[in-house]
Amino acid sequence: MPVIVSPGTSGALGSLPSAVRPTPRARATVLLLALLAVLIPPLAAASPSAAAARAASAASNVESVNPFIGTTGSSDTEYGGMLPSTAPPFAMTRWSPMTRDNRVGRLPYHFGDPKITGFIGTHQPAIWMGDSGYVAGMPGVGPVRTAEADRGLPYSHGDERSAPDRYTVDMHPAPGQTLRAELTATSRVGVLRLTYPRNTETNFVVQATRSGITGNVHIDPAGQEISGYNPDRQDGNLGPFKAPGFKGYFVARFDTAFAGYGTAAGATRYDGQADRTDQDVVGYVRFPAGTVTVTVRIATSFISADQARANLDNEVPDGQGFDATAASTRAAWADKLDRVHIQGATADQLAIFYTAMFHALQYPSEMSEHGRYYSAYDDKVHNGVSYTGYSLWDTFRAENAFLTLFAPERVDDMATSMLQDYQQGGWLPLWKNITETNIMEGTNADSIIAEDIAKGFHGFDLDLAYRAVRKDAMTPPDDDTTLWYGDRQQGTPVEARAGLTTYLKNGWVAADHTAEAGTRTLDYSYEDWAVAQVAKATGNTADAAYFSNRSANYKKQYNAATGFMQARNLDGSWADGAWTEGDQWVYTNDVLHDVPGLIALKGGDASYSDWLDGYFAGGHNNQTNEPSHHVPYLYDYAGRPWRTQQLVRRIAGSNYHNAPDGLSGNEDCGQMSAWYLFSAMGFYPVNPASGQYVVGSPFFDKVTLDLPGTSRPLVISSPNAPSSPYVQALSLNGRAITEPFLRHEDLTGGGELDFTMNTAPQAWSATTTPPPPSVDLALDRPVRMINGNPAANWGKPTENAVDGDPSTMAQSTGSTPWSLQVDLGATTTLGRAVVNPDWENYPVSYDVEVSTGGTDWTTVASEASSGGTTGCAEHGVTTCGQIHTYTFAPTRARYVRLSVNSWVSARTGAPADGYGWALREFEVYAPTAAGRGETGTSVGRR
C-alpha cells in the first residue's frame, strides 16, 4: 500500500538491529502482468491476471518508499528539500501537492502547512534553485476562487497517501464535505482524478503565472481544453543566457464537458472570456450540475503548446485511464527498485534505502520531448536528447556513480547532453537549471566525463568531450582578471574556472582577486587530474602528463606551519577564509585524487589519522553538506579502516530517518541519498573519476544487486552486519581482498562479494593494531535536560548529546545553566566520561555525577575552568570550549549527570541572552577502556 505518514513517524538507523525482513524480488514478467491487469479488465475476481497483479503489488520494493522523507526539518531551508511527488524516474515534470508558492529557497510543498492550494507541475530541481515554466491546477467547490490565497482547502496528514506512482489526499471544503484528489504522472503529463462532494457546484482552476509574470491561458470548450504558457524562470537573473523565447507550455484536457468558463487576473474574473494574456493569469471551468468525478490530464512542454498536446497524446492518450497510467509509472519504478533485494533490514531501514533510490533516480531530469529539445543556450529547438537539473558541484561526488550502476542506459545520453550544452553555450555546464546559472564553483563536468570513460561508457563523442574539458582547464572565463565571480553574482559571463588566470600563473587562485579561491584551487587540482584521464583515454599523451603534473597544485595551498590548507593571495601570502560552504578543517581533506599525497603532507598515516580524530571529535564533519561526504572514508588510506567503518554507521544513523524530517540536509539532486546508498552497500567513490570504490561497512546481512546490463547479480553477503560494524575479512568470488578498495568492474561483473563482520575493530587492511573495543554506554540512551528548555525547533534537541555525532548539538532556549541526565538502562561499572561542548557557548564549571537509583548522587569528576586556547584562533577568539576526558575510579551506577554550574560565550566571556550553552556529545565508558574511546577524544583536543 502507499505509505501513510503521520507527524509521529520515526525510525533512525541507530543500532541497526539484526531482525531479518526480506523483500521478494519482483521480475519484469510479473510487472508486465500487473500492468496488463490494469489495462485489461479481468473476467472474474479470481482470474489469473488479477492474482498476478496482486502478487506483483505485494512483491515490489516500491511499497517501501516514503515520499514524505525530506519534506520538513528544523529550518525552513536547511532540510531535505523534497516533495511527495509522482512521476517516473528522470521525469521532465514532477507533480506534487502545493501548499505554498515556490521560489528560490522554498518548495511548493511543506509538511507543516495546513492547506492545499493546488497541484503543481514543477521543474524546480532543488530548494536553492528556482522553478521554470510551472503550471498548477486546483479543484474547487462553490464559487470559483481564482486567487491562490483564497482557494486553499484544509487537510490533515491522516488524509493523504503518497507513493512514487500516485498521491491521494482528501480535502475538506466545508464540515462534512470531502473532495478527493488523486494524482499520477508520466514524464510530461500529470493526471488528476477528482471526486467532488455530491450536490455541490464544481469547478477547476488552472493557474499559468503569478504576480509580475505575464503569461497566457486559452480555453477551448469544444475540445474541453485549457492551454497556455508561463515564461517564468525564477533563476533567470543568473547566468548570461537570458533565453528570451523560453516558455513552459501546457495543455489541460478534461473528460467532462464545461458548463461555463472564464479567465482571471488574480482574483478578478472575466466570466465567459476564453483567452487572456496577463499577469497572475488563470483559466477556469465549471462543470454541469451533478458532476462528481472528473479526470484532467495536464501535459507540459518547453517547445510549444502543440508539442504539449503531442506529449499528451503520446503518453496518456484518450481512453487511457488513471489507474493504467499509475500502473505504468509504478512499473517504471519497480524496474529500478526491484533490482535491489535486502535481507537483514527493519521496515524503517527499507524505507530509508528505497526512498533514497527514489530520490537519486529523479536527477538529472529529461528536457527533451520525444526526440526534440529546447535549448535555452541558443534559444532554439534541436533534435536529440537533453537533460537539465545538473547540480554538478554536488552530484559529481556520488550521484553520478550511482547512475553508472543503476541507470547505465542513460549515461551516454547524459554526457551527450552536456556536450550539446558546450556546443550551444560555449562551455560544459556548472549548474544547469534549464540553462547555466553560474552557481557553485569548479568545472565538475570534467570529473563526470572522466568517470564515465573510466567505467567504459564510450557512446558519446570522446574527442568533443576532450576539447570541452580542455577548454575548462586552459581558457579563463571572460573578464577573469576584473570580475570577482561571487556566489550568485549577476551580470557575469559563464563562470567556468573563475580565477584560472592566477591559477595558471602561480598554481593557486588568488584570494584577493577571486571569490572562494581556497576551494577553487583544490577543486581545480582535482579537475586537472580528471582532465588528464580524458586526455589519456583520447590519445593526448603529452596533455595527459601536463595535467597530471598540474594536479599537484593542491600542495601549494598547504600551510605546514598550521597543518591546514589555506588560501593564498596573488603575492603568495596566506589569506583567511575563501572557502565554499566549509572551513579549513573540511577543505584540508579535499584532495580526492591524491589522498596518499595529502597524508604525506600531514606527516604520515599515524599523524593524519590522529588529525582526523580531532576533526571528527571537534564536530567539523558536516554530513548536511557535500565537501564532508568522503571524509570518513579517508581512514582507509591511512591504515585505520575500523574508524571508517565505525563513523559511516554513526553518520548514517544520525542523518537518515524514516520520517518527514528524515534528511538532515538538502538532497541536492540525489547526492545526499547517493551517499547513503553506497554506504549501506559497503563502499563509496571517494575519487569518482578513478572508477574506484573505497570499502566501508555494509549495513545489512545481504544485498543482492541485479544491475541493468550485467550478466549476473552481485550478491553482497555480510552476515550479522546489522550488529557487527567491523570488517574482519573480504573476498570477491573466493579471492581475498586485502586492501579496502574495489573497482567498478568488480561490481558490474557480478558474483559474490563476501564480508566477514565482527563486533570489535579488526586488523583487516590495517597498518596499525586496532584498539580494544570501547563502547560508549551513553550512546542513544534515554536522556533529559534539567533546568532548560530543549531547542528542538532549532534542530538541537537533547537527544543530540548522545547520538554519537559531534556535528550535532543539544542546546536550551534559555540562558539559565542547564544540565544533562542519561539513563544507561542498567547498573554497570563506569570509569571514564567525555564532555565535548560547542566551541562558542560552553560550560565553564560543572560536575560529573553518578547514581544507582537516580536520587542519591556521587561526584566522580569536577571542572572549575573548562575553557582553553586550542583551536580558538580560527574562530577569532582567545578562549573557547574544549573537549575534556575524565578518568575516575571504577564506580557502579545506572544514571550519569553532567551538572553545570556556569557557562559563557567565547565571544563575550559572559552568558548570552536568549539561548544556553551547547553540547556536542556526552560519552560514558567502562573503566577497562583506557585512553581514548571510539570518538578519539583526549583532554583539550579540538
Side-chain angles (χ1 to χ4, degrees):
M1 293 179 62
V3 178
I4 303 174
V5 179
S6 66
T9 301
S10 62
L13 183 66
S15 60
L16 293 163
S18 58
V20 177
R21 180 174 171 148
T23 304
R25 299 168 69 192
R27 298 299 182 189
T29 54
V30 179
L31 291 171
L32 180 58
L33 286 171
L35 179 56
L36 290 174
V38 177
L39 294 173
I40 304 173
L43 297 176
S47 68
S49 58
R54 288 194 297 271
S57 177
S60 179
N61 294 322
V62 177
E63 299 299 332
S64 291
V65 175
N66 178 0
F68 290 107
I69 290 176
T71 59
T72 189
S74 58
S75 161
D76 283 343
T77 55
E78 298 307 311
Y79 67 101
M82 294 306 295
L83 301 170
S85 62
T86 179
F90 310 108
M92 187 179 90
T93 307
R94 302 201 65 80
W95 286 85
S96 169
M98 185 175 179
T99 63
R100 52 175 62 184
D101 271 351
N102 57 326
R103 56 177 184 264
V104 176
R106 180 166 151 143
L107 292 170
Y109 176 94
H110 191 277
F111 194 78
D113 292 339
K115 291 184 178 182
I116 288 177
T117 60
F119 298 89
I120 187 171
T122 177
H123 307 114
Q124 187 172 10
I127 192 169
W128 283 113
M129 304 302 294
D131 207 341
S132 302
Y134 48 87
V135 60
M138 181 65 181
V141 171
V144 175
R145 294 178 174 86
T146 54
E148 184 178 339
D150 299 333
R151 65 176 184 249
L153 297 179
Y155 77 109
S156 71
H157 294 304
D159 293 329
E160 62 177 351
R161 292 171 170 82
S162 186
D165 60 306
R166 69 176 70 198
Y167 170 89
T168 302
V169 64
D170 289 340
M171 300 171 288
H172 306 289
Q177 288 185 342
T178 297
L179 197 170
R180 170 166 290 188
E182 299 170 271
L183 179 64
T184 191
T186 62
S187 182
R188 301 161 191 86
V189 183
V191 185
L192 267 167
R193 183 166 63 186
L194 307 167
T195 305
Y196 290 90
R198 294 187 180 277
N199 302 316
T200 59
E201 297 178 32
T202 56
N203 61 72
F204 192 89
V205 168
V206 175
Q207 181 167 0
T209 62
R210 298 178 187 159
S211 178
I213 305 297
T214 298
N216 171 264
V217 292
H218 177 80
I219 302 172
D220 176 9
Q224 297 175 192
E225 288 185 353
I226 301 178
S227 58
Y229 62 79
N230 175 11
D232 192 14
R233 280 202 307 122
Q234 294 175 344
D235 289 327
N237 60 322
L238 301 175
F241 304 103
K242 298 309 175 184
F246 171 82
K247 294 181 178 67
Y249 297 92
F250 64 88
V251 172
R253 187 180 298 168
F254 298 80
D255 70 347
T256 303
F258 306 158
Y261 59 86
T263 61
T268 303
R269 298 197 307 274
Y270 301 90
D271 205 41
Q273 292 192 5
D275 190 90
R276 176 160 297 279
T277 300
D278 210 331
Q279 296 184 19
D280 201 3
V281 69
V282 168
Y284 62 87
V285 296
R286 299 185 184 90
F287 302 115
T291 297
V292 174
T293 302
V294 173
T295 297
V296 55
R297 293 165 289 157
I298 308 177
T300 60
S301 174
F302 296 127
I303 296 174
S304 67
D306 285 341
Q307 182 64 50
R309 192 170 286 108
N311 293 342
L312 192 157
D313 293 336
N314 185 290
E315 297 184 17
V316 192
D318 294 346
Q320 178 172 308
F322 178 94
D323 290 323
T325 304
S328 175
T329 299
R330 177 187 175 83
W333 281 109
D335 178 63
K336 293 299 184 186
L337 273 57
D338 289 344
R339 293 182 181 275
V340 183
H341 172 49
I342 299 174
Q343 295 181 13
T346 67
D348 280 339
Q349 291 160 4
L350 292 175
I352 295 167
F353 188 95
Y354 291 115
T355 305
M357 288 190 70
F358 168 66
H359 287 162
L361 289 166
Q362 295 178 22
Y363 309 100
S365 59
E366 296 172 343
M367 192 166 177
S368 49
E369 305 172 48
H370 305 290
R372 297 197 302 159
Y373 67 92
Y374 166 79
S375 170
Y377 292 92
D378 63 6
D379 208 33
K380 297 177 181 178
V381 175
H382 300 263
N383 294 325
V385 177
S386 183
Y387 289 85
T388 186
Y390 279 106
S391 179
L392 298 182
W393 185 84
D394 304 293
T395 59
F396 87 89
R397 304 169 195 272
E399 163 71 1
N400 190 68
F402 175 78
L403 298 180
T404 64
L405 287 173
F406 286 90
E409 72 281 358
R410 291 181 179 259
V411 169
D412 285 328
D413 281 345
M414 289 175 176
T416 296
S417 176
M418 293 194 296
L419 295 177
Q420 290 166 172
D421 298 339
Y422 164 71
Q423 291 175 307
Q424 292 148 22
W427 300 88
L428 289 167
L430 281 73
W431 213 130
K432 178 188 179 184
N433 185 19
I434 305 297
T435 187
E436 184 57 65
T437 63
N438 274 353
I439 292 175
M440 308 311 292
E441 51 73 34
T443 54
N444 299 295
D446 304 342
S447 174
I448 287 179
I449 289 173
E451 177 183 10
D452 292 347
I453 294 173
K455 292 179 176 180
F457 294 95
H458 298 151
F460 53 94
D461 190 331
L462 299 188
D463 290 331
L464 178 63
Y466 181 61
R467 292 199 298 273
V469 300
R470 192 182 191 281
K471 181 178 181 181
D472 282 345
M474 294 300 295
T475 306
D478 292 344
D479 302 320
D480 190 40
T481 59
T482 57
L483 287 175
W484 178 242
Y485 279 106
D487 180 43
R488 296 181 184 261
Q489 182 176 341
Q490 298 182 29
T492 59
V494 174
E495 182 174 308
R497 293 198 195 182
L500 183 62
T501 303
T502 57
Y503 181 83
L504 291 173
K505 177 182 179 181
N506 291 336
W508 64 83
V509 179
D512 49 354
H513 283 65
T514 307
E516 303 167 283
T519 298
R520 292 183 192 275
T521 298
L522 295 171
D523 286 358
Y524 296 176
S525 298
Y526 167 70
E527 290 150 7
D528 281 347
W529 187 89
V531 172
Q533 309 317 301
V534 182
K536 188 184 304 180
T538 53
N540 294 282
T541 54
D543 278 4
Y546 168 75
F547 288 115
S548 181
N549 290 333
R550 210 173 81 177
S551 72
N553 276 342
Y554 74 88
K555 296 177 181 179
K556 297 178 181 180
Q557 198 161 277
Y558 182 70
N559 186 342
T562 64
F564 289 99
M565 294 290 177
Q566 192 168 347
R568 305 183 76 167
N569 294 315
L570 184 62
D571 64 4
S573 60
W574 299 110
D576 294 330
W579 305 114
T580 302
E581 299 186 11
D583 60 14
Q584 62 182 354
W585 282 90
V586 171
Y587 277 102
T588 294
N589 297 304
D590 191 27
V591 186
L592 307 182
H593 61 295
D594 189 15
V595 179
L598 170 64
I599 292 173
L601 289 178
K602 295 292 293 177
D605 287 356
S607 176
Y608 181 58
S609 294
D610 288 346
W611 186 86
L612 277 179
D613 285 347
Y615 165 87
F616 281 100
H620 300 289
N621 199 68
N622 180 10
Q623 182 64 18
T624 71
N625 216 350
E626 283 70 20
S628 289
H629 280 192
H630 70 286
V631 179
Y633 287 90
L634 297 183
Y635 282 100
D636 271 352
Y637 297 83
R640 296 185 187 178
W642 66 84
R643 287 288 284 139
T644 287
Q645 296 153 22
Q646 174 192 88
L647 287 165
V648 166
R649 292 290 188 95
R650 286 188 178 179
I651 291 167
S654 297
N655 292 274
Y656 300 84
H657 306 267
N658 181 24
D661 62 351
L663 282 176
S664 61
N666 298 162
E667 178 62 74
D668 287 331
C669 293
Q671 172 59 29
M672 190 78 172
S673 285
W675 184 94
Y676 179 88
L677 292 164
F678 276 118
S679 296
M681 292 186 289
F683 41 84
Y684 183 81
V686 169
N687 175 1
S690 70
Q692 183 187 71
Y693 299 88
V694 181
V695 174
S697 174
F699 295 174
F700 311 120
D701 289 323
K702 182 184 285 188
V703 177
T704 302
L705 304 179
D706 185 11
L707 298 172
T710 57
S711 59
R712 59 175 176 169
L714 175 69
V715 180
I716 305 170
S717 180
S718 46
N720 302 313
S723 58
S724 303
Y726 299 102
V727 179
Q728 181 175 318
L730 177 61
S731 66
L732 176 65
N733 296 322
R735 174 177 59 87
I737 304 293
T738 58
E739 294 186 342
F741 305 104
L742 297 167
R743 298 292 304 175
H744 184 71
E745 53 266 29
D746 294 335
L747 308 181
T748 56
E752 302 284 336
L753 184 63
D754 292 319
F755 288 85
T756 302
M757 307 301 291
N758 202 297
T759 58
Q762 298 294 299
W764 173 78
S765 81
T767 58
T768 57
T769 303
S774 182
V775 179
D776 177 8
L777 301 174
L779 182 65
D780 291 328
R781 301 304 305 173
V783 61
R784 67 185 182 92
M785 181 180 288
I786 302 171
N787 296 328
N789 299 306
N793 290 337
W794 302 349
K796 298 179 180 180
T798 309
E799 292 78 11
N800 283 358
V802 292
D803 66 356
D805 184 355
S807 69
T808 66
M809 290 190 287
Q811 196 169 23
S812 171
T813 60
S815 57
T816 300
W818 61 271
S819 301
L820 190 80
Q821 183 171 314
V822 183
D823 180 358
L824 303 180
T827 299
T828 187
T829 303
L830 314 177
R832 186 163 55 95
V834 178
V835 179
N836 184 356
D838 177 32
W839 70 267
E840 181 176 4
N841 300 297
Y842 65 94
V844 174
S845 170
Y846 52 83
D847 301 302
V848 178
E849 303 172 327
V850 298
S851 172
T852 56
T855 54
D856 298 323
W857 295 88
T858 300
T859 299
V860 294
S862 294
E863 181 63 65
S865 181
S866 70
T869 59
T870 304
C872 302
E874 65 185 271
H875 301 294
V877 298
T878 302
T879 303
C880 62
Q882 307 285 300
I883 300 173
H884 288 280
T885 298
Y886 302 95
T887 303
F888 45 87
T891 304
R892 298 279 291 172
R894 172 174 174 171
Y895 300 93
V896 185
R897 188 163 66 190
L898 177 63
S899 184
V900 176
N901 305 310
S902 64
W903 74 278
V904 298
S905 165
R907 297 191 186 280
T908 65
D913 292 333
Y915 52 90
W917 66 277
L919 179 63
R920 296 186 181 277
E921 287 296 308
F922 181 56
E923 304 165 18
V924 181
Y925 296 92
T928 53
R932 289 187 304 212
E934 288 190 337
T935 57
T937 57
S938 61
V939 174
R941 172 167 297 197
R942 278 296 298 172

